[in-house]
């Protein structure tokens, strides 16, 4: 679609093109947000990251591209780069996506996790506040931690009552496990940066929006170990299961795969972020859950559905034993713990921005696994053949 110059917001006001400093633009969500902004809006992106592989297709190409001149890549580490303040200053809005956000890191690299999600975000908040710039900061649904219902007796009828498990921005508590369960280092760091941003808003007038993504998935998420990431790396579940399917190995169900998640298609979720960007009057001062409450499954059900979908898109029969149980200690190491259930309440985002997710889990897996098969099947085949030969 061509970039349109006469865009209007939800209240009918003309949206003037603006400049967005996007930190973490080279990651999964950043790559989709860049694509959306460049192909469907007149806005300009200052893309900040240490990597740019996932946005290379937007950075390279002829000057005749409709977005030529509207994206600049700045390779910098926000931990220690004095150019950051200048980029924030010359933008109208900052979107901060930078983080360590892979569960395998939370208990094994807790210091890096806490520094990345709290300490490294501090200058971003400070520069936005001091320079009166709007901030959209990416937090996580994990700030809710475990549900209240998970602490009730197994046979309690209250476990079926939504009041005990639906996660609501303005009323649900944040329930984390003990300190020795270092899994919660991420959630706790994200919670503290949320509180700091909220306080900057209350005391110093910072215009902010906080996003709590609920398992956004789709093409370009994470990496396939040994292909475009380290062989020993453990990405998030979509990439772990994709890797198993591509290699014709059983999918590993951590602690029986009983945990429940709701998955939302990245393209639906990006629509919500664009609404926040273009409707500051409706988005400022709010915390938004962004997920799809209709796409709830246990991890075991996800594995079963992905196995079926992959068979369909690859034309290969599934293997005889499609799943295997592993303990969390074996899979993630000491200090892992899990969120039991994550269903977002959608009242606030629906009321403020009129957003609703559209894509079913089957459909989003079909388009995502088609991408995974097309992108990786040949490379995996070659790497397996090479390993067998050596
Ligand atoms: P991602 O890992 O794909 O992207 C993060 C990007 O930030 C990476 O490209 C990384 O190189 C960059 N980055 C990290 N530290 C940096 C630094 N110091 N300087 C410069 N760049 C740095 O992750 P994602 O899935 O795109 O997630 C983006 C944000 O959304 C994160 O804050 C994450 O916590 C949050 N989130 C995502 C999900 C999801 O479902 N994908 C769920 C919950 C929260
Ligand atoms: N998981 C699993 N097998 C894998 C990878 C993950 O069973 O190969 C489980 C993990 O224990 C968690 C869920 O899948 O219960 C989702 O994990 P993910 O890494 O995507 O992140 P989370 O939703 O926990 O933030």
């Amino acid at each position: 679609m061509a970039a349109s110059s006469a865009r209007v917001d939800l209240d009918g006001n003309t949206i003037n093109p603006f400049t967005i400093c996007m930190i973490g633009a080279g990651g999964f969500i950043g790559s989709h947000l860049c694509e959306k902004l460049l192909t469907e809006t007149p806005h300009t992106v200052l893309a900040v990251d240490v990597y740019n592989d996932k946005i290379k297709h937007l950075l390279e190409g002829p000057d005749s591209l409709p977005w030529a001149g509207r994206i600049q890549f700045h390779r910098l580490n926000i931990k220690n780069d004095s150019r950051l303040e200048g980029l924030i200053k010359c933008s109208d809005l900052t979107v901060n996506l930078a983080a360590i956000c892979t569960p395998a890191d939370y208990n094994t690299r807790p210091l890096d996790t806490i520094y990345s999600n709290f300490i490294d975000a501090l200058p971003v908040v400070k520069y936005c506040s001091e320079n009166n710039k709007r901030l959209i900061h990416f937090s996580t649904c994990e700030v809710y931690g475990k549900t209240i219902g998970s602490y009730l007796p197994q046979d309690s009828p209250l476990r079926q009552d939504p009041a005990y498990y639906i996660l609501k921005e303005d009323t649900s508590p944040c329930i984390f496990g003990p300190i020795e369960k270092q899994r919660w280092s991420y959630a706790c760091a994200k919670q503290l940066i949320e509180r700091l941003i909220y306080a900057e808003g209350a005391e110093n007038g910072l215009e902010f929006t906080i996003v709590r993504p609920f398992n956004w998935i789709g093409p370009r998420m994470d990496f396939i170990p040994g292909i475009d990431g380290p062989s020993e790396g453990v990405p998030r579940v979509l990439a772990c299961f994709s890797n198993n399917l591509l290699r014709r190995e059983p999918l590993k169900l951590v602690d029986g795969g009983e945990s429940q998640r709701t998955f939302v298609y990245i393209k639906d979720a990006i629509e919500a972020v664009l609404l926040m960007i273009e409707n500051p009057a409706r988005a400022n001062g709010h915390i938004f859950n962004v997920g799809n409450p209709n796409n709830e499954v246990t991890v075991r059900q996800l594995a079963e559905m992905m196995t079926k979908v992959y068979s369909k898109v690859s034309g290969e029969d599934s293997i005889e034993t499609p799943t295997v149980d592993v303990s969390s200690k074996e899979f993630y190491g000491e200090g892992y713990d899990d969120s039991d259930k994550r269903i977002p309440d959608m009242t606030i985002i629906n009321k403020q921005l009129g957003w609703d997710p559209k894509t079913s889990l089957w459909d989003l897996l079909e388009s995502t696994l088609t991408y995974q098969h097309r992108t990786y099947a040949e490379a995996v085949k070659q790497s397996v053949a090479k390993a067998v030969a050596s």
Side-chain angles (χ1 to χ4, degrees):
M1 197 190 295
S4 139
S5 49
R7 293 179 68 77
V8 287
D9 67 16
L10 292 171
D11 299 303
N13 303 309
T14 303
I15 301 167
N16 293 318
F18 38 66
T19 301
I20 301 164
C21 174
M22 195 191 303
I23 306 168
F28 162 58
I29 295 176
S31 73
H32 287 274
L33 186 55
C34 284
E35 218 168 70
K36 182 88 174 172
L37 288 166
L38 295 180
T39 56
E40 293 182 29
T41 80
H43 308 309
T44 294
V45 179
L46 307 182
V48 173
D49 206 305
V50 282
Y51 303 112
N52 66 10
D53 318 33
K54 296 184 184 188
I55 51 170
K56 270 226 161 86
H57 60 295
L58 301 169
L59 300 172
E60 292 169 352
D63 284 353
S64 54
L65 283 173
W67 58 81
R70 288 197 291 115
I71 182 163
Q72 280 174 17
F73 179 66
H74 297 265
R75 191 182 300 277
L76 62 92
N77 187 331
I78 61 162
K79 268 184 194 303
N80 48 26
D81 201 303
S82 57
R83 287 173 293 173
L84 181 63
E85 185 171 12
L87 291 170
I88 290 176
K89 264 187 173 168
C90 68
S91 303
D92 302 296
L93 156 74
T94 294
V95 176
N96 188 12
L97 295 147
I100 287 179
C101 52
T102 315
D105 292 324
Y106 307 162
N107 58 315
T108 55
R109 298 169 58 203
L111 283 176
D112 286 342
T113 301
I114 293 166
Y115 271 78
S116 169
N117 283 286
F118 181 65
I119 307 283
D120 299 347
L122 287 176
V124 178
V125 180
K126 180 170 163 256
Y127 297 147
C128 288
S129 190
E130 286 174 356
N131 294 291
N132 297 317
K133 299 292 180 178
R134 211 182 143 210
L135 170 65
I136 297 184
H137 185 83
F138 273 70
S139 180
T140 171
C141 60
E142 202 158 316
V143 294
Y144 293 110
K146 300 188 183 228
T147 62
I148 309 173
S150 71
Y151 288 91
L152 294 169
Q154 278 300 339
D155 57 355
S156 167
L158 290 178
R159 276 183 173 248
Q160 310 311 317
D161 180 342
Y164 290 83
Y165 61 79
I166 298 277
L167 304 170
K168 204 166 170 7
E169 298 93 329
D170 51 356
T171 54
S172 295
C174 301
I175 307 174
F176 305 152
I179 302 298
E180 66 189 30
K181 295 287 187 193
Q182 295 202 75
R183 158 68 189 245
W184 302 110
S185 58
Y186 169 73
C188 196
K190 285 283 202 197
Q191 188 198 146
L192 191 53
I193 198 73
E194 278 199 21
R195 290 191 186 275
L196 185 108
I197 292 168
Y198 197 90
E200 278 289 348
E203 290 192 30
N204 295 326
L206 172 68
E207 291 184 344
F208 73 86
T209 301
I210 289 170
V211 188
R212 292 181 178 166
F214 280 65
N215 292 78
W216 298 10
I217 61 175
R220 296 197 291 269
M221 184 168 200
D222 299 339
F223 57 90
I224 296 299
I227 305 298
D228 56 1
S231 316
E232 300 308 312
V234 180
R236 286 169 285 188
V237 68
L238 173 81
C240 284
F241 285 175
S242 299
N243 183 39
N244 299 141
L245 291 164
L246 285 155
R247 294 178 189 278
R248 298 187 65 71
E249 298 166 348
L251 280 59
K252 293 182 176 154
L253 300 179
V254 172
D255 293 337
E258 295 306 312
S259 298
Q260 290 165 291
R261 295 287 188 273
T262 51
F263 293 93
V264 64
Y265 192 34
I266 183 72
K267 291 187 195 295
D268 287 354
I270 289 294
E271 294 276 349
V273 183
L274 184 58
L275 284 166
M276 290 174 209
I277 290 176
E278 297 196 317
N279 291 276
R282 288 167 175 257
N284 282 348
H286 287 283
I287 299 177
F288 291 118
N289 286 344
V290 180
N292 188 337
N294 305 318
N295 281 348
E296 191 187 31
V297 277
T298 62
V299 173
R300 179 179 292 278
Q301 288 167 333
L302 174 73
E304 289 165 358
M305 200 186 280
M306 283 182 67
T307 303
K308 276 195 202 134
V309 173
Y310 190 73
S311 228
K312 182 179 172 198
V313 303
S314 67
E316 295 168 6
D317 286 339
S318 53
I319 58 173
E320 208 167 299
T321 314
T323 58
V324 62
D325 285 1
V326 291
S327 73
S328 53
K329 192 166 169 192
E330 200 184 321
F331 193 80
Y332 288 112
E334 210 60 68
Y336 181 73
D337 200 355
D338 210 350
S339 304
D340 53 306
K341 188 173 173 76
R342 290 184 184 155
I343 303 188
D345 181 279
M346 304 302 294
T347 313
I348 295 183
I349 190 155
N350 200 265
K351 175 167 172 267
Q352 293 302 119
L353 301 172
W355 178 83
D356 267 317
K358 297 185 182 73
T359 315
S360 71
L361 187 56
W362 179 277
D363 288 352
L364 76 85
L365 288 177
E366 194 165 331
S367 47
T368 305
L369 292 182
T370 300
Y371 170 90
Q372 302 287 61
H373 180 67
R374 194 178 60 229
T375 311
Y376 295 110
E378 197 47 47
V380 168
K381 230 180 244 165
Q382 283 177 18
S383 116
V384 170
K386 211 165 143 193
V388 170
S390 63

